Amino acid sequence: MVRVGLTTERLVQAGAELADELGFDRVTPSELARRFDVKVASLYSHVKNAHDLRTRVALLALEELADRAAAALAGRSGRDALVAFADVHRDYAREHPGRFAAAQLRLDAETAAASAGVRHAELMRAILRGYDLTGPDQTHAVRLLGSFVRGFVALEADGGFDHSPPAAPESWTRLLDVLDSLLHDWPRS
């Protein structure tokens, strides 16, 4: 019998909180069962298995991140949009490190196509249209922007910038300036 009050949404939210507290790799049905003081089997009427749980947490994180990015980008273009988009990701990663890691989970093609990951790509492409980038150039620039944000955020979270000046926020601002310049001067194919 399913415990009263236990829902898929509640489990996914608890999984997201668990990811932020302990790390995304620790999001398992057994860990959640301990949190809710239930048997693991009682979770399986809500999630199929550990992979399903982790995928649902990833989808939640993608949705939250896309909502924040869309709100931050409203009415912005060019460098302002670029900085707003990057800042949203960096801030989200600091606030929700486990969820940010979850948002990087590789999804199967069908799940990815139905996820908010599509909105992320659309938001990046909207930013890049402001730099007059289209076609393959736009795709390359989407990959550059995603790599920059993900890489910087991961290095910063791992303490990679702690041992030498200047401070990470100064580098972040400087690198966004460089990225803005690069996007303006992008060699067209």
Side-chain angles (χ1 to χ4, degrees):
M1 180 165 165
V2 176
R3 188 171 187 142
V4 177
L6 204 57
T7 65
T8 303
E9 294 75 23
R10 203 163 160 217
L11 288 174
V12 172
Q13 187 62 43
E17 292 165 7
L18 180 66
D20 289 337
E21 292 169 23
L22 303 178
F24 184 55
D25 59 328
R26 299 275 305 272
V27 176
T28 63
S30 58
E31 191 67 43
L32 276 183
R34 280 192 285 281
R35 290 264 167 128
F36 284 98
D37 194 28
V38 297
K39 294 189 184 314
V40 174
S42 64
L43 302 183
Y44 291 128
S45 61
H46 303 287
V47 294
K48 295 175 192 170
N49 51 37
H51 178 71
D52 181 42
L53 173 62
R54 290 168 54 86
T55 298
R56 288 173 186 269
V57 172
L59 294 172
L60 171 70
L62 287 169
E63 190 72 33
E64 289 176 344
L65 199 45
D67 289 346
R68 288 183 183 199
L73 289 174
R76 297 177 190 255
S77 63
R79 184 185 184 286
D80 287 342
L82 176 70
V83 170
F85 182 83
D87 283 349
V88 161
H89 284 77
R90 185 172 179 225
D91 293 345
Y92 187 81
R94 289 170 157 175
E95 185 180 336
H96 299 293
R99 292 179 210 201
F100 188 77
Q104 315 309 315
L105 181 69
R106 185 177 191 152
L107 303 172
D108 65 74
E110 184 179 336
T111 303
S115 77
V118 174
R119 287 178 53 209
H120 289 275
E122 289 169 352
L123 291 168
M124 282 193 277
R125 290 184 184 282
I127 292 167
L128 295 170
R129 281 192 298 275
Y131 291 95
D132 199 29
L133 291 173
T134 59
D137 289 329
Q138 190 181 79
T139 301
H140 296 312
V142 163
R143 292 172 181 167
L144 172 63
L145 179 55
S147 297
F148 164 72
V149 170
R150 186 173 176 183
F152 191 99
V153 165
L155 286 168
E156 184 177 32
D158 290 343
F161 305 134
D162 292 351
H163 307 292
S164 62
E170 185 178 338
S171 292
W172 178 256
T173 301
R174 177 76 173 114
L175 292 173
L176 284 169
D177 288 340
V178 169
L179 189 54
D180 176 59
S181 293
L182 173 67
L183 292 172
H184 277 297
D185 297 332
W186 191 275
R188 304 307 194 253
S189 49

mmCIF file of all heavy atoms in Angstrom, residues 94-135:
data_model
loop_
_atom_site.group_PDB
_atom_site.id
_atom_site.type_symbol
_atom_site.label_atom_id
_atom_site.label_comp_id
_atom_site.label_asym_id
_atom_site.label_seq_id
_atom_site.Cartn_x
_atom_site.Cartn_y
_atom_site.Cartn_z
ATOM 1 N N ARG A 94 25.405 27.615 -8.136
ATOM 2 C CA ARG A 94 25.814 27.902 -6.759
ATOM 3 C C ARG A 94 24.700 27.590 -5.768
ATOM 4 O O ARG A 94 24.933 27.060 -4.690
ATOM 5 C CB ARG A 94 26.192 29.374 -6.619
ATOM 6 C CG ARG A 94 27.469 29.729 -7.301
ATOM 7 C CD ARG A 94 27.590 31.215 -7.299
ATOM 8 N NE ARG A 94 28.954 31.639 -7.423
ATOM 9 C CZ ARG A 94 29.304 32.893 -7.535
ATOM 10 N NH1 ARG A 94 28.397 33.844 -7.510
ATOM 11 N NH2 ARG A 94 30.564 33.210 -7.670
ATOM 12 N N GLU A 95 23.484 27.954 -6.142
ATOM 13 C CA GLU A 95 22.329 27.753 -5.273
ATOM 14 C C GLU A 95 21.912 26.278 -5.213
ATOM 15 O O GLU A 95 21.492 25.791 -4.166
ATOM 16 C CB GLU A 95 21.160 28.600 -5.794
ATOM 17 C CG GLU A 95 19.935 28.595 -4.932
ATOM 18 C CD GLU A 95 18.822 29.457 -5.527
ATOM 19 O OE1 GLU A 95 19.107 30.375 -6.319
ATOM 20 O OE2 GLU A 95 17.658 29.201 -5.184
ATOM 21 N N HIS A 96 22.020 25.601 -6.342
ATOM 22 C CA HIS A 96 21.561 24.215 -6.467
ATOM 23 C C HIS A 96 22.625 23.364 -7.172
ATOM 24 O O HIS A 96 22.422 22.930 -8.307
ATOM 25 C CB HIS A 96 20.252 24.149 -7.259
ATOM 26 C CG HIS A 96 19.118 24.879 -6.640
ATOM 27 N ND1 HIS A 96 18.542 24.476 -5.452
ATOM 28 C CD2 HIS A 96 18.451 25.996 -7.024
ATOM 29 C CE1 HIS A 96 17.562 25.308 -5.149
ATOM 30 N NE2 HIS A 96 17.495 26.235 -6.082
ATOM 31 N N PRO A 97 23.727 23.091 -6.506
ATOM 32 C CA PRO A 97 24.811 22.361 -7.187
ATOM 33 C C PRO A 97 24.407 20.976 -7.681
ATOM 34 O O PRO A 97 24.810 20.555 -8.768
ATOM 35 C CB PRO A 97 25.914 22.287 -6.131
ATOM 36 C CG PRO A 97 25.230 22.525 -4.823
ATOM 37 C CD PRO A 97 24.054 23.395 -5.115
ATOM 38 N N GLY A 98 23.611 20.276 -6.911
ATOM 39 C CA GLY A 98 23.181 18.941 -7.324
ATOM 40 C C GLY A 98 22.216 18.982 -8.483
ATOM 41 O O GLY A 98 22.270 18.144 -9.392
ATOM 42 N N ARG A 99 21.319 19.942 -8.465
ATOM 43 C CA ARG A 99 20.375 20.087 -9.575
ATOM 44 C C ARG A 99 21.105 20.510 -10.846
ATOM 45 O O ARG A 99 20.761 20.060 -11.933
ATOM 46 C CB ARG A 99 19.293 21.106 -9.240
ATOM 47 C CG ARG A 99 18.370 20.643 -8.150
ATOM 48 C CD ARG A 99 17.332 21.690 -7.847
ATOM 49 N NE ARG A 99 16.968 21.582 -6.456
ATOM 50 C CZ ARG A 99 15.848 22.041 -5.946
ATOM 51 N NH1 ARG A 99 14.982 22.677 -6.706
ATOM 52 N NH2 ARG A 99 15.587 21.895 -4.676
ATOM 53 N N PHE A 100 22.103 21.401 -10.688
ATOM 54 C CA PHE A 100 22.869 21.812 -11.867
ATOM 55 C C PHE A 100 23.575 20.592 -12.460
ATOM 56 O O PHE A 100 23.584 20.411 -13.677
ATOM 57 C CB PHE A 100 23.876 22.904 -11.512
ATOM 58 C CG PHE A 100 24.546 23.489 -12.728
ATOM 59 C CD1 PHE A 100 23.873 24.401 -13.533
ATOM 60 C CD2 PHE A 100 25.833 23.125 -13.068
ATOM 61 C CE1 PHE A 100 24.473 24.923 -14.661
ATOM 62 C CE2 PHE A 100 26.450 23.650 -14.187
ATOM 63 C CZ PHE A 100 25.765 24.560 -14.990
ATOM 64 N N ALA A 101 24.132 19.749 -11.616
ATOM 65 C CA ALA A 101 24.741 18.507 -12.101
ATOM 66 C C ALA A 101 23.692 17.629 -12.771
ATOM 67 O O ALA A 101 23.953 17.021 -13.818
ATOM 68 C CB ALA A 101 25.415 17.765 -10.949
ATOM 69 N N ALA A 102 22.503 17.571 -12.206
ATOM 70 C CA ALA A 102 21.424 16.773 -12.789
ATOM 71 C C ALA A 102 21.061 17.283 -14.182
ATOM 72 O O ALA A 102 20.768 16.493 -15.084
ATOM 73 C CB ALA A 102 20.194 16.803 -11.875
ATOM 74 N N ALA A 103 21.082 18.589 -14.358
ATOM 75 C CA ALA A 103 20.735 19.177 -15.658
ATOM 76 C C ALA A 103 21.716 18.755 -16.750
ATOM 77 O O ALA A 103 21.412 18.876 -17.934
ATOM 78 C CB ALA A 103 20.676 20.694 -15.553
ATOM 79 N N GLN A 104 22.873 18.217 -16.357
ATOM 80 C CA GLN A 104 23.866 17.758 -17.330
ATOM 81 C C GLN A 104 23.677 16.280 -17.690
ATOM 82 O O GLN A 104 24.391 15.758 -18.545
ATOM 83 C CB GLN A 104 25.287 17.959 -16.781
ATOM 84 C CG GLN A 104 25.571 19.289 -16.135
ATOM 85 C CD GLN A 104 25.188 20.497 -16.953
ATOM 86 O OE1 GLN A 104 25.464 20.560 -18.140
ATOM 87 N NE2 GLN A 104 24.556 21.464 -16.319
ATOM 88 N N LEU A 105 22.732 15.623 -17.042
ATOM 89 C CA LEU A 105 22.512 14.199 -17.300
ATOM 90 C C LEU A 105 22.171 13.969 -18.765
ATOM 91 O O LEU A 105 21.333 14.669 -19.332
ATOM 92 C CB LEU A 105 21.366 13.672 -16.416
ATOM 93 C CG LEU A 105 21.028 12.185 -16.559
ATOM 94 C CD1 LEU A 105 22.156 11.326 -15.989
ATOM 95 C CD2 LEU A 105 19.721 11.878 -15.847
ATOM 96 N N ARG A 106 22.824 12.987 -19.343
ATOM 97 C CA ARG A 106 22.538 12.642 -20.736
ATOM 98 C C ARG A 106 21.187 11.932 -20.783
ATOM 99 O O ARG A 106 20.991 10.903 -20.131
ATOM 100 C CB ARG A 106 23.628 11.746 -21.291
ATOM 101 C CG ARG A 106 23.433 11.462 -22.750
ATOM 102 C CD ARG A 106 24.560 10.637 -23.307
ATOM 103 N NE ARG A 106 24.436 10.620 -24.739
ATOM 104 C CZ ARG A 106 25.449 10.473 -25.548
ATOM 105 N NH1 ARG A 106 26.660 10.332 -25.066
ATOM 106 N NH2 ARG A 106 25.262 10.462 -26.845
ATOM 107 N N LEU A 107 20.282 12.497 -21.560
ATOM 108 C CA LEU A 107 18.935 11.946 -21.692
ATOM 109 C C LEU A 107 18.816 11.211 -23.019
ATOM 110 O O LEU A 107 19.490 11.568 -23.989
ATOM 111 C CB LEU A 107 17.896 13.078 -21.645
ATOM 112 C CG LEU A 107 17.908 13.964 -20.401
ATOM 113 C CD1 LEU A 107 16.976 15.154 -20.581
ATOM 114 C CD2 LEU A 107 17.528 13.157 -19.167
ATOM 115 N N ASP A 108 17.926 10.224 -23.065
ATOM 116 C CA ASP A 108 17.681 9.572 -24.348
ATOM 117 C C ASP A 108 17.021 10.595 -25.279
ATOM 118 O O ASP A 108 16.483 11.615 -24.837
ATOM 119 C CB ASP A 108 16.813 8.320 -24.179
ATOM 120 C CG ASP A 108 15.412 8.639 -23.682
ATOM 121 O OD1 ASP A 108 14.595 9.147 -24.471
ATOM 122 O OD2 ASP A 108 15.136 8.380 -22.492
ATOM 123 N N ALA A 109 17.079 10.345 -26.573
ATOM 124 C CA ALA A 109 16.644 11.323 -27.572
ATOM 125 C C ALA A 109 15.187 11.758 -27.376
ATOM 126 O O ALA A 109 14.873 12.954 -27.464
ATOM 127 C CB ALA A 109 16.848 10.767 -28.975
ATOM 128 N N GLU A 110 14.313 10.827 -27.109
ATOM 129 C CA GLU A 110 12.895 11.152 -26.951
ATOM 130 C C GLU A 110 12.658 12.032 -25.718
ATOM 131 O O GLU A 110 11.929 13.023 -25.771
ATOM 132 C CB GLU A 110 12.072 9.864 -26.853
ATOM 133 C CG GLU A 110 10.578 10.105 -26.780
ATOM 134 C CD GLU A 110 9.786 8.800 -26.718
ATOM 135 O OE1 GLU A 110 10.288 7.750 -27.170
ATOM 136 O OE2 GLU A 110 8.659 8.850 -26.193
ATOM 137 N N THR A 111 13.282 11.677 -24.612
ATOM 138 C CA THR A 111 13.131 12.460 -23.383
ATOM 139 C C THR A 111 13.742 13.839 -23.558
ATOM 140 O O THR A 111 13.151 14.846 -23.154
ATOM 141 C CB THR A 111 13.784 11.722 -22.194
ATOM 142 O OG1 THR A 111 13.192 10.430 -22.081
ATOM 143 C CG2 THR A 111 13.592 12.477 -20.895
ATOM 144 N N ALA A 112 14.911 13.899 -24.179
ATOM 145 C CA ALA A 112 15.573 15.194 -24.409
ATOM 146 C C ALA A 112 14.718 16.096 -25.282
ATOM 147 O O ALA A 112 14.577 17.294 -25.010
ATOM 148 C CB ALA A 112 16.942 14.976 -25.041
ATOM 149 N N ALA A 113 14.118 15.543 -26.315
ATOM 150 C CA ALA A 113 13.298 16.348 -27.233
ATOM 151 C C ALA A 113 12.053 16.907 -26.557
ATOM 152 O O ALA A 113 11.542 17.954 -26.961
ATOM 153 C CB ALA A 113 12.904 15.503 -28.447
ATOM 154 N N ALA A 114 11.575 16.226 -25.508
ATOM 155 C CA ALA A 114 10.381 16.682 -24.793
ATOM 156 C C ALA A 114 10.737 17.500 -23.551
ATOM 157 O O ALA A 114 9.850 17.950 -22.828
ATOM 158 C CB ALA A 114 9.535 15.476 -24.390
ATOM 159 N N SER A 115 12.023 17.712 -23.307
ATOM 160 C CA SER A 115 12.456 18.385 -22.086
ATOM 161 C C SER A 115 12.637 19.885 -22.288
ATOM 162 O O SER A 115 12.607 20.392 -23.408
ATOM 163 C CB SER A 115 13.784 17.791 -21.603
ATOM 164 O OG SER A 115 14.860 18.286 -22.398
ATOM 165 N N ALA A 116 12.887 20.577 -21.196
ATOM 166 C CA ALA A 116 13.178 22.012 -21.246
ATOM 167 C C ALA A 116 14.559 22.284 -21.816
ATOM 168 O O ALA A 116 14.912 23.432 -22.062
ATOM 169 C CB ALA A 116 13.042 22.626 -19.852
ATOM 170 N N GLY A 117 15.339 21.236 -22.071
ATOM 171 C CA GLY A 117 16.615 21.407 -22.742
ATOM 172 C C GLY A 117 16.441 22.071 -24.094
ATOM 173 O O GLY A 117 17.290 22.853 -24.537
ATOM 174 N N VAL A 118 15.334 21.796 -24.746
ATOM 175 C CA VAL A 118 15.015 22.430 -26.031
ATOM 176 C C VAL A 118 14.875 23.938 -25.836
ATOM 177 O O VAL A 118 15.364 24.730 -26.652
ATOM 178 C CB VAL A 118 13.727 21.823 -26.633
ATOM 179 C CG1 VAL A 118 13.296 22.568 -27.883
ATOM 180 C CG2 VAL A 118 13.928 20.337 -26.923
ATOM 181 N N ARG A 119 14.242 24.347 -24.752
ATOM 182 C CA ARG A 119 14.110 25.780 -24.451
ATOM 183 C C ARG A 119 15.468 26.428 -24.227
ATOM 184 O O ARG A 119 15.695 27.561 -24.644
ATOM 185 C CB ARG A 119 13.220 26.001 -23.227
ATOM 186 C CG ARG A 119 11.753 25.746 -23.523
ATOM 187 C CD ARG A 119 10.851 25.904 -22.314
ATOM 188 N NE ARG A 119 11.009 27.162 -21.634
ATOM 189 C CZ ARG A 119 10.795 27.330 -20.318
ATOM 190 N NH1 ARG A 119 10.427 26.310 -19.567
ATOM 191 N NH2 ARG A 119 10.936 28.496 -19.764
ATOM 192 N N HIS A 120 16.387 25.710 -23.587
ATOM 193 C CA HIS A 120 17.737 26.241 -23.370
ATOM 194 C C HIS A 120 18.397 26.545 -24.705
ATOM 195 O O HIS A 120 18.978 27.616 -24.888
ATOM 196 C CB HIS A 120 18.603 25.254 -22.574
ATOM 197 C CG HIS A 120 18.215 25.135 -21.149
ATOM 198 N ND1 HIS A 120 18.671 25.981 -20.183
ATOM 199 C CD2 HIS A 120 17.385 24.263 -20.533
ATOM 200 C CE1 HIS A 120 18.148 25.640 -19.019
ATOM 201 N NE2 HIS A 120 17.373 24.602 -19.208
ATOM 202 N N ALA A 121 18.313 25.590 -25.625
ATOM 203 C CA ALA A 121 18.908 25.795 -26.946
ATOM 204 C C ALA A 121 18.237 26.964 -27.667
ATOM 205 O O ALA A 121 18.920 27.783 -28.294
ATOM 206 C CB ALA A 121 18.800 24.513 -27.769
ATOM 207 N N GLU A 122 16.926 27.061 -27.562
ATOM 208 C CA GLU A 122 16.210 28.174 -28.201
ATOM 209 C C GLU A 122 16.629 29.512 -27.603
ATOM 210 O O GLU A 122 16.788 30.506 -28.324
ATOM 211 C CB GLU A 122 14.701 27.977 -28.054
ATOM 212 C CG GLU A 122 14.146 26.844 -28.891
ATOM 213 C CD GLU A 122 12.711 26.488 -28.550
ATOM 214 O OE1 GLU A 122 12.153 27.020 -27.549
ATOM 215 O OE2 GLU A 122 12.133 25.659 -29.274
ATOM 216 N N LEU A 123 16.805 29.551 -26.293
ATOM 217 C CA LEU A 123 17.232 30.785 -25.646
ATOM 218 C C LEU A 123 18.638 31.180 -26.096
ATOM 219 O O LEU A 123 18.900 32.354 -26.383
ATOM 220 C CB LEU A 123 17.178 30.632 -24.117
ATOM 221 C CG LEU A 123 15.789 30.533 -23.510
ATOM 222 C CD1 LEU A 123 15.869 30.082 -22.050
ATOM 223 C CD2 LEU A 123 15.042 31.855 -23.619
ATOM 224 N N MET A 124 19.532 30.204 -26.172
ATOM 225 C CA MET A 124 20.887 30.507 -26.648
ATOM 226 C C MET A 124 20.853 30.984 -28.097
ATOM 227 O O MET A 124 21.534 31.945 -28.452
ATOM 228 C CB MET A 124 21.800 29.294 -26.496
ATOM 229 C CG MET A 124 22.278 29.072 -25.080
ATOM 230 S SD MET A 124 23.630 27.887 -24.973
ATOM 231 C CE MET A 124 22.735 26.350 -24.988
ATOM 232 N N ARG A 125 20.055 30.333 -28.920
ATOM 233 C CA ARG A 125 19.959 30.743 -30.326
ATOM 234 C C ARG A 125 19.366 32.144 -30.445
ATOM 235 O O ARG A 125 19.786 32.928 -31.306
ATOM 236 C CB ARG A 125 19.173 29.718 -31.126
ATOM 237 C CG ARG A 125 19.942 28.416 -31.298
ATOM 238 C CD ARG A 125 19.224 27.414 -32.181
ATOM 239 N NE ARG A 125 19.937 26.152 -32.239
ATOM 240 C CZ ARG A 125 21.022 25.923 -32.973
ATOM 241 N NH1 ARG A 125 21.525 26.892 -33.715
ATOM 242 N NH2 ARG A 125 21.607 24.742 -32.964
ATOM 243 N N ALA A 126 18.435 32.488 -29.590
ATOM 244 C CA ALA A 126 17.875 33.843 -29.603
ATOM 245 C C ALA A 126 18.950 34.870 -29.259
ATOM 246 O O ALA A 126 19.034 35.935 -29.891
ATOM 247 C CB ALA A 126 16.700 33.935 -28.630
ATOM 248 N N ILE A 127 19.768 34.564 -28.278
ATOM 249 C CA ILE A 127 20.875 35.456 -27.926
ATOM 250 C C ILE A 127 21.797 35.619 -29.129
ATOM 251 O O ILE A 127 22.202 36.735 -29.479
ATOM 252 C CB ILE A 127 21.673 34.903 -26.726
ATOM 253 C CG1 ILE A 127 20.835 34.944 -25.455
ATOM 254 C CG2 ILE A 127 22.974 35.681 -26.530
ATOM 255 C CD1 ILE A 127 21.424 34.137 -24.306
ATOM 256 N N LEU A 128 22.118 34.529 -29.778
ATOM 257 C CA LEU A 128 23.095 34.550 -30.865
ATOM 258 C C LEU A 128 22.561 35.207 -32.132
ATOM 259 O O LEU A 128 23.340 35.736 -32.933
ATOM 260 C CB LEU A 128 23.602 33.139 -31.141
ATOM 261 C CG LEU A 128 24.381 32.555 -29.958
ATOM 262 C CD1 LEU A 128 24.662 31.078 -30.166
ATOM 263 C CD2 LEU A 128 25.656 33.334 -29.711
ATOM 264 N N ARG A 129 21.249 35.222 -32.316
ATOM 265 C CA ARG A 129 20.692 35.980 -33.445
ATOM 266 C C ARG A 129 20.998 37.460 -33.284
ATOM 267 O O ARG A 129 21.162 38.180 -34.262
ATOM 268 C CB ARG A 129 19.186 35.731 -33.572
ATOM 269 C CG ARG A 129 18.868 34.410 -34.247
ATOM 270 C CD ARG A 129 17.396 34.302 -34.639
ATOM 271 N NE ARG A 129 16.492 34.361 -33.505
ATOM 272 C CZ ARG A 129 16.138 33.318 -32.756
ATOM 273 N NH1 ARG A 129 16.631 32.122 -33.006
ATOM 274 N NH2 ARG A 129 15.296 33.464 -31.757
ATOM 275 N N GLY A 130 21.116 37.910 -32.035
ATOM 276 C CA GLY A 130 21.497 39.298 -31.774
ATOM 277 C C GLY A 130 22.922 39.600 -32.218
ATOM 278 O O GLY A 130 23.295 40.768 -32.385
ATOM 279 N N TYR A 131 23.709 38.564 -32.426
ATOM 280 C CA TYR A 131 25.071 38.718 -32.954
ATOM 281 C C TYR A 131 25.113 38.406 -34.456
ATOM 282 O O TYR A 131 26.178 38.281 -35.034
ATOM 283 C CB TYR A 131 26.034 37.799 -32.197
ATOM 284 C CG TYR A 131 26.263 38.208 -30.771
ATOM 285 C CD1 TYR A 131 25.518 37.647 -29.741
ATOM 286 C CD2 TYR A 131 27.225 39.167 -30.448
ATOM 287 C CE1 TYR A 131 25.730 38.018 -28.414
ATOM 288 C CE2 TYR A 131 27.443 39.540 -29.130
ATOM 289 C CZ TYR A 131 26.688 38.962 -28.121
ATOM 290 O OH TYR A 131 26.896 39.342 -26.815
ATOM 291 N N ASP A 132 23.935 38.221 -35.037
ATOM 292 C CA ASP A 132 23.789 37.912 -36.459
ATOM 293 C C ASP A 132 24.455 36.589 -36.832
ATOM 294 O O ASP A 132 25.058 36.465 -37.899
ATOM 295 C CB ASP A 132 24.329 39.063 -37.323
ATOM 296 C CG ASP A 132 23.783 39.009 -38.748
ATOM 297 O OD1 ASP A 132 22.657 38.510 -38.925
ATOM 298 O OD2 ASP A 132 24.504 39.433 -39.672
ATOM 299 N N LEU A 133 24.357 35.624 -35.933
ATOM 300 C CA LEU A 133 24.896 34.298 -36.206
ATOM 301 C C LEU A 133 23.755 33.359 -36.583
ATOM 302 O O LEU A 133 22.724 33.299 -35.898
ATOM 303 C CB LEU A 133 25.627 33.744 -34.982
ATOM 304 C CG LEU A 133 26.921 34.449 -34.617
ATOM 305 C CD1 LEU A 133 27.459 33.930 -33.298
ATOM 306 C CD2 LEU A 133 27.956 34.280 -35.713
ATOM 307 N N THR A 134 23.940 32.641 -37.672
ATOM 308 C CA THR A 134 22.924 31.712 -38.160
ATOM 309 C C THR A 134 23.603 30.423 -38.598
ATOM 310 O O THR A 134 24.829 30.344 -38.684
ATOM 311 C CB THR A 134 22.152 32.307 -39.359
ATOM 312 O OG1 THR A 134 23.083 32.600 -40.397
ATOM 313 C CG2 THR A 134 21.390 33.565 -38.956
ATOM 314 N N GLY A 135 22.786 29.417 -38.902
ATOM 315 C CA GLY A 135 23.273 28.157 -39.458
ATOM 316 C C GLY A 135 24.354 27.505 -38.617
ATOM 317 O O GLY A 135 24.305 27.529 -37.378
#
